[in-house]
Amino acid sequence: MNSSKKIGSALISVYHKDHLEPVVRKLHQLGVILYTTGGTQEFIQKLGIPVVSVDSVTEYPEIFGGRVKTLHPKIFGGILNRRSNEQDVAEMKKHHIPAIDLVVVDLYPFEETVASGADEQSIIEKIDIGGISLIRAAAKNHRDVLIIPSRDHYSFLQNILENQHGSSSLEDRRLMAAHAFNISSHYDTAIFQYFNSSGEVKVFKQSIQQARSLRYGENPHQQGTFYGNPEDFFEQLHGKEISYNNLLDMDAAVSLLSDFNETTFAILKHNNACGIASRTDLTDAWKDALAADPVSAFGGVLIANRPINKKTAEEIGNLFFEILVAPAFDDDAMAVLKQKKNRILLRQKSNVVSAKQFRSILNGVVEQDRDVKAETSSEMKTVTNCIPSEVQLADLEFANKIVKHTKSNAIVLVKNKQLLASGTGQTSRVDALQQAIHKALNFHFDLNGAVMASDAFFPFPDCVEIAHRAGIRAIIQPGGSVKDQDSVDYCNQHDLAMVMTGTRHFKH
């Protein structure tokens, strides 16, 4: 059985008219009968091309200001009839229903209208009813009908008209049916999200139209795909293709630095900061960030919240790194950094990240609000007799921001707005602290007068005791343990300052 179908008639009903003219002219050249409505009809007639109005077929006018145009048995019968079904053919003849072989639709711009901040009535009017119904009907009957569900697919249709003489294969029609249901489901998801903005209907619905195949996933034997448009967030100025692991580090880097307003430089490895410092001068911030762990910095992801100048670029250029993210790059800095062809240089265009986070687990998905809370010194409650100094409060706030973005269990040691060391991803908070102390001493830092941040409470005073023996003089933690007082008592006995925030920052 020949699955090729010649286009003899087409229904065209589109919102956007751009790029439509060459398609219409080619259809007319091939002798295709054109059925149209409203604005589309006016557009095609102005081109001097004859059309058949839908209301002349249905013998019923458009009503309710154009809300009802194509919703009629003679239109949907022309699309949904099965050409090989004798009963369908007989009913078509009996009711004088014209066959429609091609449906071209471009939906009302619902998402764009919502994004524009329009009032609710304007948004409601951009919920397409007839167009979405035409798309679904034509896609359902793809064995006989070709659907072009958006202007993005005009080139596909143009190829059929020019290179296949207006005949589509079953494979062509089935592919377009898949695109059609993708568009209709995405459209409906956007409408649902608008009406369910409060989240009262508890279902998981997400739809992202852009997709980028990655070289591989977390490891070479795993396939990887990024769904989204990174170009909305970054402009890649130089370097190799971005990988799955690069994307994870980029997300962690942007999230981390979004909590810092001062001139700050950070170095990340496997989603954790291995170096970060705030200084008045960007080059000094870089040097002090690197000093925290120059070994782990090798092959890391770097991020700054100020433009990269030549002086800083020359310092950075001495290190092998994967990615450098910054809001801008001076021209002479670019000349320095581009000397290595694989270095990925990204200009950050936006700080706006998704308010929700999702993770696939077991046979489902968990969703949570992104942790955007960053406690300031005014939100810290001093619980000890010893009150932290202004310098200590600034360091405690700095450390607390870092520990929030560090894999749990996490301990962070800070002095003069410089990360000295961190203990990351340990099963024991004591182990995390000992790891941090060991690293700090290994890189010759003096911990006397430093501060400590913990992502969760201390169930016992052991961490406080160990930190004190190492030279720590002030501690920040969320509190909440039934044995909080044990840690407070130790601090009071040894003249340590402790503040509590009341907010835990686990990160798994």
Side-chain angles (χ1 to χ4, degrees):
M1 180 178 173
N2 185 9
S3 65
S4 178
K5 298 287 183 179
K6 182 79 172 178
I7 299 172
S9 59
L11 171 62
I12 306 176
S13 181
V14 298
Y15 182 86
H16 296 100
K17 311 301 187 295
D18 46 311
H19 309 301
L20 180 62
E21 181 178 347
V23 172
V24 171
R25 291 196 181 279
K26 189 62 181 179
L27 287 167
H28 176 59
Q29 182 183 334
L30 292 173
V32 176
I33 300 171
L34 304 180
Y35 299 98
T36 61
T37 64
T40 307
Q41 180 178 333
E42 293 177 14
F43 175 84
I44 297 175
Q45 286 176 328
K46 286 181 180 179
L47 298 177
I49 296 174
V51 298
V52 178
S53 66
V54 165
D55 56 15
S56 70
V57 175
T58 62
E59 298 180 333
Y60 208 94
E62 294 183 14
I63 56 175
F64 309 136
R67 277 191 164 197
V68 179
K69 291 180 284 195
T70 58
L71 296 170
H72 193 280
K74 282 198 171 182
I75 299 301
F76 280 84
I79 297 170
L80 285 166
N81 74 93
R82 294 156 291 187
R83 295 353 184 225
S84 59
N85 184 292
E86 293 182 3
Q87 182 176 342
D88 285 8
V89 172
E91 289 183 6
M92 290 277 288
K93 186 175 181 180
K94 176 182 178 181
H95 298 293
H96 307 289
I97 299 174
I100 296 173
D101 306 314
L102 167 68
V103 175
V104 181
V105 176
D106 187 63
L107 297 171
Y108 290 167
F110 177 81
E111 289 180 278
E112 293 87 339
T113 305
V114 172
S116 73
D119 61 88
E120 180 159 280
Q121 188 54 44
S122 298
I123 291 171
I124 297 299
E125 289 305 316
K126 288 299 184 288
I127 298 176
D128 206 313
I129 302 300
I132 206 79
S133 301
L134 291 171
I135 286 175
R136 290 178 62 84
K140 175 177 180 176
N141 201 28
H142 66 275
R143 287 195 171 275
D144 295 307
V145 179
L146 174 65
I147 174 63
I148 300 299
S150 81
R151 54 182 169 167
D152 294 336
H153 300 104
Y154 287 171
S155 59
F156 184 89
L157 175 58
Q158 198 77 29
N159 178 65
I160 288 175
L161 299 178
E162 293 179 357
N163 299 320
Q164 298 174 206
H165 310 293
S167 293
S168 64
S169 66
L170 180 58
E171 289 75 17
D172 293 332
R173 299 190 298 278
R174 188 175 181 83
L175 174 61
M176 282 297 104
H179 281 296
F181 285 119
N182 172 47
I183 285 174
S184 66
S185 63
H186 176 81
Y187 197 79
D188 283 341
T189 296
I191 296 169
F192 168 77
Q193 300 288 20
Y194 173 75
F195 281 98
N196 194 48
S197 58
S198 64
E200 290 185 13
V201 181
K202 295 296 182 184
V203 295
F204 182 76
K205 287 184 186 294
Q206 293 293 320
S207 180
I208 300 174
Q209 292 291 70
Q210 300 89 1
R212 172 185 290 189
S213 295
L214 305 173
R215 283 175 289 164
Y216 49 80
E218 205 160 4
N219 299 291
H221 63 277
Q222 296 170 272
Q223 290 186 341
T225 304
F226 176 70
Y227 294 98
N229 187 10
E231 285 75 21
D232 289 343
F233 216 92
F234 300 104
E235 178 186 3
Q236 183 165 352
L237 305 175
H238 183 71
K240 63 183 180 180
E241 180 184 350
I242 294 172
S243 71
Y244 180 99
N245 290 326
N246 290 156
L247 288 165
L248 294 181
D249 281 326
M250 287 157 54
D251 177 72
V254 168
S255 296
L256 170 65
L257 226 60
S258 67
D259 281 338
F260 292 84
N261 296 318
E262 295 179 86
T263 299
T264 305
F265 216 120
I267 307 167
L268 288 88
K269 200 73 172 288
H270 297 295
N271 310 156
N272 293 304
C274 57
I276 181 170
S278 292
R279 297 289 182 263
T280 56
D281 178 74
L282 185 64
T283 305
D284 290 340
W286 158 251
K287 289 179 179 178
D288 288 342
L290 180 63
D293 189 346
V295 175
S296 294
F298 183 85
V301 170
L302 320 181
I303 185 167
N305 60 0
R306 297 292 188 274
I308 303 297
N309 53 45
K310 183 181 180 182
K311 180 183 176 184
T312 307
E314 288 174 337
E315 291 290 338
I316 296 171
N318 297 320
L319 176 76
F320 167 73
F321 63 87
E322 285 274 328
I323 298 175
L324 172 57
V325 181
F329 294 81
D330 291 350
D331 290 342
D332 50 3
M334 283 294 295
V336 172
L337 294 168
K338 289 173 71 174
Q339 292 176 12
K340 301 289 181 161
K341 67 177 183 178
N342 286 330
R343 283 176 176 165
I344 299 172
L345 305 178
L346 300 173
R347 182 179 71 83
Q348 186 175 342
K349 297 156 64 174
S350 171
N351 280 321
V352 180
V353 294
S354 172
K356 297 288 186 180
Q357 292 179 309
F358 313 106
R359 182 181 293 186
S360 60
I361 61 168
L362 302 175
N363 62 341
V365 174
V366 287
E367 172 189 312
Q368 68 172 356
D369 297 332
R370 185 179 290 272
D371 185 359
V372 296
K373 186 171 176 55
E375 296 79 22
T376 62
S377 56
S378 63
E379 299 172 272
M380 299 173 189
K381 179 183 178 182
T382 301
V383 294
T384 51
N385 297 331
C386 180
I387 299 173
S389 67
E390 290 299 316
V391 171
Q392 287 176 327
L393 280 173
D395 276 350
L396 290 169
E397 183 176 333
F398 185 89
N400 196 50
K401 290 176 181 178
I402 300 170
V403 82
K404 163 189 164 183
H405 295 279
T406 304
K407 295 287 186 182
S408 300
N409 286 311
I411 292 288
V412 164
L413 306 180
V414 163
K415 191 176 183 180
N416 298 326
K417 294 185 180 179
Q418 177 189 20
L419 174 64
L420 304 184
S422 60
T424 65
Q426 299 300 308
T427 53
S428 160
R429 197 159 302 282
V430 170
D431 287 347
L433 174 56
Q434 290 175 333
Q435 179 191 45
I437 293 171
H438 173 77
K439 287 189 69 173
L441 297 178
N442 188 54
F443 290 113
H444 310 294
F445 285 110
D446 179 8
L447 290 176
N448 287 300
V451 307
M452 174 176 75
S454 174
D455 62 339
F457 64 64
F458 300 114
F460 306 101
D462 46 7
C463 281
V464 177
E465 296 175 25
I466 296 168
H468 172 235
R469 290 198 298 268
I472 302 299
R473 301 302 303 165
I475 299 166
I476 183 169
Q477 59 136 328
S481 170
V482 294
K483 294 188 176 182
D484 275 347
Q485 193 60 44
D486 291 351
S487 295
V488 173
D489 289 343
Y490 183 92
C491 289
N492 286 334
Q493 293 163 12
H494 297 85
D495 200 29
L496 302 181
M498 177 181 284
V499 300
M500 294 185 183
T501 64
T503 302
R504 188 182 72 188
H505 289 293
F506 270 165
K507 184 182 179 187
H508 295 107

